[in-house]
Each structure stands twice: as structure tokens, then as C-alpha cells.
């Protein structure tokens, strides 16, 4: 092709497989072939079609807010107490200009599975399975297996649980933001059948469990809600196993530093196993990382993990999983950290009954529309004593979903002394405690203006703007990139107010200069409306 003067001939010589990831370019390839053989009108028409497709379905751009650090990424798999945990780690790294694929293990067929699982049922039968294959070409500003940032001496941990039909990928914009601010972000991929495709490093995968829909989804039956609550139990258990894995990595790394001569790492052909000292120790494999680099990366992570700053977060079904995890009595003191909860449009109906009272909720399958105000004589739910950020989409706020429940928690959270973590019998705190609470905005509920439910994760970023408007992922013409920035900003700001993220960043520094950040002053953020007479905040 380099010897032929016609550039169209050179383009025609490119193998079609080069463009298969970007199906929008296939008409351009066909058009170039048509031009070479003299079919000028056909060739021009096909090239114009390719241009139109590139405009209407462009390659998505996934970015987080700028921070102090560059970001490293690695997909991992481990055995914890006989059960498998899989997911993706995002962490602060040494400076770089590299990028990594947005989709983990692209050969596993995630995009085709997503079309068959997560697209609206009315459209699903008409969509070819390859229509989202261009997602495999999307890159994120992160380096695979990058060295940990030397200046980051202590990393808080953020466990993130995806929603129904979600995967480890679908909240990476938020994950990149928090990792750039100095946190280790664990993007969990659940293996309970709620993920579109839970993928293992050996090429095996666990597909989405469609059978639960047969129990009655449209008007949720008791059987359907009970099945989802049982899944929530398994999801919360998975979050605990991920935290256990980090504890063991942390413990073994420090043990290794104390007894350096003891062999704690053994390499294998495809990666490495992280071997602890106890019989129930966990083995870890990192995708595409050489054995020597795996050992050094795990050691560096373990030495700098700060489990006293642990955060559990999630979107939708993941929000219910995060709330359930936080309501587990034995998990509230993780080595006595100020554990915090971030829930984005949490599906509170799916919180298991055994912890429902601790979460301050008492309904069955009605999206909180019948939740009564919490009376003054009622006991404060334990969840109100945990630092809590509730981020709601404008779509759910308009529908009134879980509004009263949110108001109840926030009203009671205002009576909790942040220094002691206790509630006074009179519902009052000392003036100093009240001032401290107001300064740090210990618990908060807010609405992202212009957002639909799926705009609180990456789904809206992955879809064209007009399709987002049609699916109500964005409201009032709001751009998905702007909505993602609003979500990232409010979560980052609140975590910094709690003292859980201490590192500054170029973008964050304009909002936060050592004082508490008023979250509702951020662009596109408003306080969640209260409901009822007894719930005031």
C-alpha cells in the first residue's frame, strides 16, 4: 500500500478486523474499496454514512476530576476463605501519560452481554449484539500496573458496589476521581448473578441471572423483593470478603517488612499469588502483570493502606448493598475507623429485613412512598450514627422515591454528637458538638440537578446525548459529562469534609481550601427536599 499513490487504495488494504472494534468505520472501509474499483457515488455515500455514524455514536470519553496523582489500574482475582472475589483496583500512581482499556478482559464479550441484559426490553430485540462493541476501544487515563505514588504514604479505602446489570466498569469516572485524590478504589464485580457478566482471569464468566424477573418485576411481588434481598445479603458478604482481602494484604505486607527473610510471595506463570501466614490466607492474581511486579505492587499497597479510613459506596442495588454492609453490627468498627457510607440512588426496598430497622426503613416494595415521618419518641436508627452521604438523581427526587426515609435519617443525624458518636436522650448536643457537626456536614442528602438514575454511574457517559434524553438518563438537556462531574464533585467534597480524603487536587483546590465545603454551593447540586412535619433538615 505504501507504494501505491492512491490513498483510498492504502485504506482499502487495511484489514477489516482493524475496524471491527469501531463498527462505525466499516462503511468507510467499504467506501474506500468502492472508490478503488471505480464506484465513486457508492464510495462517497458510504464514507458519508460512516461520518454520520461517528457523529451520532461517537467514542465515549471517560474521565475523572483532576487530582494530585496520576492513576494506576489493575484487574484482580483472589480466593478469600474459599470464595472468589473479582474486581478492579484504581490507585494513586507515579506520574504518567498512559491509558488503559475501559472494559476489563474485552474478549469475554461484555458488550454483547450488556445488549442482551441491560438495554430496555422494548429495544433489545431490535439491537444487534455488536452495537456496543466500540466500548472495547474506550480508554481511561490510567496505567495498568503502574508503580504506586511515592508521595502517597497513606491511602483510604473505598469499596464500591455496582447496580443491577452493572459491572466493575460502570462507575470508573468516580473511581478515577477518588484515586487521583489519594484513595484505593475497589470496584467490586459481584458474582451473585446481578452483574451483566462477572469475568474471571481464566476466561470463564458468570452471566446475569434472568430467572428472578419471572417472579414479577414490573409490579414487584413479595417473592421478587425477597429474592433481591437475598442477593443483597450475598453482595454485602462479598464486600466483607474484599475488605478481608485488603486486611490480609495489609497485615502480610507489614509482617514481611518485620521478617524480611520469610518468603511471603510465590510467583506462577500467569501472575503471582499473595500468600499470607494463616491457613485461611488469600491468593491474588493480577491481570497482565509480571510476577515480580505483582509482588512489589501488593507489598506497596499493603504498606500504605489505611483501613481506619474505610468507605463503602454503591449505586442503586449497590447502594442497598452498601447500606446493608454498614448496618452489619460487627462491621461498624473496622478496627475503629470513622467508616462512612456513600449511596447513590440506593434501592432501599432491597435492604434485607433483618437490618431494615437499623437502616430506619420499614416498607415492602413501594419505593419509600408510604414511609411515615420518624416520630420524636422513636429510637434513632443506628445508620443515622454513621457518616452518610445520599446522592439522589433528579429523576428519583421528582418521583419522591425514598424521600421521607432520607429526611428521617438526616433529621436524626443532626442529633448525633460527632465527637462521641452518641445520641443524647433529649435529642440535643452540646454547642461545641453542634458547631463541629455543622462544620463537617456529617451526614448529607443532595440532588444532582438534571440527572436521571443512570447518570449517577457511567452508563450515561457511554451513550450518545440524544439517546440519554430519550431514556431519561439526562433531564432538561444536561450533558452526561457535566452530570458526571457534578456527581464526582459532591462525593469528593463530602469525603474531604469527613477527613477521609486529605490530598488536594487542581480541581478540588478551587472548592476546598482547608475549610468545610458547602456541598450545595457546587454547580448543579441542591439539597434533597425533606418530607413530613417531623423530619427537618
Amino acid at each position: 500500500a505504501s507504494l501505491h499513490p492512491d490513498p483510498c487504495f492504502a485504506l482499502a488494504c487495511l484489514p477489516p478486523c482493524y475496524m471491527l472494534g469501531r463498527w462505525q468505520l466499516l462503511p468507510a472501509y467499504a467506501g474506500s474499496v468502492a472508490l478503488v474499483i471505480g464506484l465513486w457515488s457508492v464510495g462517497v455515500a458510504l464514507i458519508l454514512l460512516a461520518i454520520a455514524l461517528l457523529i451520532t455514536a461517537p467514542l465515549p470519553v471517560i474521565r475523572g476530576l483532576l487530582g494530585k496523582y496520576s492513576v494506576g489500574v489493575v484487574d484482580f482475582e483472589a480466593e478469600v476463605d474459599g470464595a472468589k472475589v473479582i474486581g478492579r483496583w484504581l490507585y494513586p500512581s507515579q506520574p504518567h501519560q498512559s491509558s488503559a482499556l475501559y472494559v476489563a478482559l474485552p474478549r469475554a464479550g461484555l458488550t454483547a452481554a450488556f445488549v442482551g441484559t441491560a438495554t430496555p426490553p422494548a429495544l433489545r430485540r431490535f439491537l444487534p449484539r455488536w452495537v456496543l462493541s466500540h466500548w472495547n476501544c474506550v480508554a481511561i487515563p490510567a496505567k495498568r500496573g503502574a508503580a504506586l505514588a511515592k508521595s502517597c504514604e497513606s491511602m483510604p479505602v473505598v469499596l464500591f458496589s455496582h447496580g443491577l446489570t452493572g459491572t466493575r466498569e460502570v462507575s470508573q469516572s468516580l473511581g478515577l476521581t477518588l484515586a487521583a485524590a489519594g484513595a484505593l478504589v475497589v470496584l467490586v464485580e459481584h458474582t451473585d448473578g446481578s452483574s451483566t457478566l462477572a469475568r474471571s482471569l481464566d476466561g470463564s464468566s458468570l452471566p446475569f441471572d434472568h430467572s428472578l424477573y419471572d417472579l414479577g418485576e414490573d409490579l414487584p411481588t413479595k417473592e421478587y423483593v425477597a429474592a433481591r434481598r437475598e442477593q443483597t445479603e450475598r453482595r454485602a458478604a462479598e464486600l466483607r470478603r474484599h475488605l478481608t482481602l485488603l486486611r490480609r494484604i495489609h497485615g502480610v505486607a507489614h509482617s514481611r517488612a518485620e521478617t524480611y527473610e520469610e518468603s511471603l510471595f510465590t510467583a506462577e506463570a500467569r501472575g503471582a499469588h499473595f500468600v499470607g501466614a494463616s491457613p485461611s490466607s488469600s491468593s491474588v492474581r493480577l491481570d497482565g502483570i509480571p510476577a515480580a511486579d505483582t509482588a512489589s505492587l501488593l507489598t506497596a499497597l499493603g504498606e500504605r493502606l489505611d483501613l481506619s479510613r474505610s468507605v463503602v459506596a454503591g449505586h442503586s442495588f449497590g447502594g442497598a448493598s452498601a447500606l446493608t454492609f454498614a448496618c452489619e453490627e460487627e462491621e461498624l468498627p473496622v478496627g475503629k475507623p470513622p467508616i462512612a457510607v456513600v449511596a447513590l440512588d440506593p434501592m432501599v426496598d432491597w435492604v434485607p429485613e433483618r437490618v431494615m430497622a437499623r437502616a430506619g426503613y420499614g416498607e415492602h416494595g413501594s419505593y419509600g412512598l408510604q414511609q411515615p415521618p420518624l416520630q420524636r419518641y422513636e429510637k434513632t436508627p443506628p445508620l443515622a450514627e454513621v457518616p452518610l452521604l445520599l446522592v439522589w438523581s433528579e429523576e428519583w427526587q421528582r418521583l419522591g422515591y425514598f424521600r421521607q426515609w432520607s429526611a428521617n435519617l438526616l433529621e436524626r443525624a443532626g442529633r448525633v454528637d460527632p465527637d462521641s458518636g452518641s445520641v443524647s436522650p433529649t435529642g440535643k448536643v452540646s454547642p461545641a458538638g453542634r458547631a463541629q457537626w455543622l462544620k463537617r456536614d456529617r451526614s448529607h442528602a443532595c440532588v444532582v440537578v438534571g440527572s436521571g438514575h443512570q447518570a449517577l454511574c457511567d452508563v450515561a457517559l457511554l451513550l450518545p446525548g440524544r439517546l440519554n434524553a430519550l431514556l431519561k438518563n439526562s433531564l432538561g438537556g444536561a450533558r452526561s459529562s457535566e452530570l458526571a462531574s457534578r456527581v464526582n464533585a459532591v462525593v469528593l467534597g463530602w469525603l474531604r469534609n469527613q477527613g477521609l480524603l486529605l490530598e488536594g487536587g487542581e480541581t478540588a483546590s478551587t472548592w476546598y481550601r482547608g475549610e468545610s465545603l458547602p456541598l450545595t454551593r457546587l454547580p448543579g447540586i441542591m439539597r434533597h427536599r425533606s418530607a413530613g412535619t417531623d423530619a427537618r433538615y
Side-chain angles (χ1 to χ4, degrees):
S2 61
L3 299 177
H4 199 282
D6 189 350
C8 294
F9 180 82
L11 182 59
C13 290
L14 289 175
C17 60
Y18 177 79
M19 298 183 182
L20 286 179
R22 297 293 307 278
W23 57 265
Q24 300 92 334
L25 294 175
L26 289 177
Y29 173 80
S32 65
V33 173
L35 292 175
V36 168
I37 64 177
L39 300 176
W40 294 96
S41 58
V42 174
V44 170
L46 289 172
I47 291 175
L48 291 176
L49 174 61
I51 294 174
L53 290 173
L54 288 172
I55 293 174
T56 56
L59 195 65
V61 177
I62 307 295
R63 297 286 185 271
L65 299 180
L66 293 176
K68 179 177 179 179
Y69 300 105
S70 296
V71 178
V73 58
V74 66
D75 294 292
F76 71 93
E77 179 180 304
E79 294 287 336
V80 179
D81 299 336
K84 180 184 291 187
V85 294
I86 57 177
R88 172 169 279 192
W89 288 333
L90 298 172
Y91 56 90
S93 72
Q94 288 290 91
H96 63 78
Q97 299 296 325
S98 301
S99 61
L101 288 179
Y102 177 82
V103 174
L105 309 171
R107 294 184 180 180
L110 173 64
T111 56
F114 196 88
V115 173
T117 298
T119 52
L123 298 176
R124 194 173 301 162
R125 66 179 64 181
F126 304 106
L127 294 175
R129 291 300 181 97
W130 46 260
V131 72
L132 300 179
S133 61
H134 60 294
W135 288 5
N136 290 325
C137 300
V138 176
I140 58 173
K143 182 178 180 180
R144 183 170 296 278
L148 196 66
K150 294 180 180 179
S151 59
C152 185
E153 298 180 355
S154 176
M155 289 186 300
V157 174
V158 179
L159 296 174
F160 195 93
S161 173
H162 62 73
L164 186 65
T165 73
T167 62
R168 71 187 80 178
E169 289 89 355
V170 295
S171 288
Q172 285 190 93
S173 176
L174 177 58
L176 289 166
T177 296
L178 301 182
L184 170 65
V185 182
V186 182
L187 300 172
V188 175
E189 189 156 272
H190 289 288
T191 58
D192 64 323
S194 63
S195 171
T196 290
L197 194 69
R199 293 143 292 162
S200 299
L201 299 186
D202 61 4
S204 62
S205 60
L206 178 67
F208 182 80
D209 183 4
H210 291 267
S211 64
L212 270 64
Y213 289 141
D214 298 334
L215 299 175
E217 174 203 13
D218 294 335
L219 294 174
T221 62
K222 290 185 177 181
E223 293 76 14
Y224 178 77
V225 173
R228 291 299 182 201
R229 288 173 177 171
E230 193 276 331
Q231 276 189 307
T232 306
E233 295 270 18
R234 287 186 278 163
R235 286 167 140 254
E238 276 192 289
L239 291 174
R240 285 192 291 273
R241 285 194 289 271
H242 278 270
L243 183 58
T244 298
L245 173 64
L246 295 179
R247 285 172 174 165
R248 291 175 179 171
I249 291 175
H250 175 71
V252 172
H254 282 272
S255 174
R256 186 172 190 262
E258 294 173 0
T259 57
Y260 186 80
E261 68 281 358
E262 184 177 354
S263 175
L264 297 172
F265 298 95
T266 59
E268 289 195 353
R270 284 197 58 187
H273 285 261
F274 186 92
V275 182
S278 66
S280 61
S281 59
S282 310
S283 60
V284 181
R285 287 195 299 167
L286 307 183
D287 181 46
I289 309 300
D293 294 340
T294 297
S296 60
L297 179 58
L298 290 174
T299 300
L301 285 173
E303 290 173 348
R304 303 183 194 185
L305 287 178
D306 184 359
L307 296 176
S308 68
R309 291 186 286 156
S310 301
V311 181
V312 59
H315 170 247
S316 192
F317 200 176
S321 305
L323 294 174
T324 301
F325 177 90
C327 287
E328 294 285 352
E329 185 172 358
E330 67 273 17
E331 288 299 336
L332 288 178
V334 186
K336 292 190 176 180
I339 188 172
V341 183
V342 176
L344 314 176
D345 266 4
M347 187 56 182
V348 191
D349 279 340
W350 295 350
V351 170
E353 289 187 17
R354 67 180 182 83
V355 297
M356 200 170 283
R358 294 177 61 81
Y361 192 69
E363 284 196 75
H364 158 67
S366 61
Y367 294 93
L369 298 176
Q370 300 174 13
Q371 179 81 15
L374 195 63
Q375 301 299 316
R376 297 181 185 277
Y377 59 82
E378 291 186 67
K379 183 179 179 181
T380 295
L383 185 60
E385 302 179 27
V386 179
L388 173 66
L389 174 65
L390 296 171
V391 181
W392 300 100
S393 64
E394 186 175 350
E395 178 188 12
W396 278 28
Q397 191 271 338
R398 288 180 182 181
L399 294 171
Y401 289 175
F402 309 112
R403 182 187 298 175
Q404 184 64 64
W405 170 79
S406 176
N408 290 346
L409 282 181
L410 268 292
E411 190 271 338
R412 287 303 174 93
R415 304 182 186 185
V416 178
D417 190 328
D419 294 326
S420 65
S422 61
V423 182
S424 66
T426 61
K428 298 180 179 179
V429 298
S430 65
R434 171 67 64 176
Q436 179 70 11
W437 176 79
L438 291 173
K439 177 181 177 182
R440 296 183 64 182
D441 211 2
R442 186 175 184 276
S443 292
H444 195 94
C446 61
V447 176
V448 179
V449 178
S451 65
H453 179 64
Q454 297 296 354
L456 300 189
C457 64
D458 287 353
V459 170
L461 285 172
L462 293 167
L463 298 177
R466 292 185 179 179
L467 184 57
N468 278 322
L470 178 65
L471 298 176
K472 296 184 179 180
N473 293 337
S474 61
L475 310 176
R479 299 180 61 181
S480 58
S481 58
E482 181 181 0
L483 296 175
S485 295
R486 293 173 183 177
V487 174
N488 295 347
V490 73
V491 174
L492 176 65
W494 183 80
L495 289 175
R496 296 193 54 164
N497 286 353
Q498 305 308 307
L500 294 168
L501 282 177
L502 305 179
E503 301 292 350
E506 293 180 24
T507 305
S509 64
T510 62
W511 304 321
Y512 185 88
R513 302 182 183 277
E515 299 295 332
S516 181
L517 170 67
L519 300 183
T520 51
R521 293 185 185 179
L522 292 172
I525 301 297
M526 67 179 181
R527 187 175 289 276
H528 195 243
R529 296 175 185 172
S530 60
T533 57
D534 287 338
R536 305 181 307 278
Y537 65 96

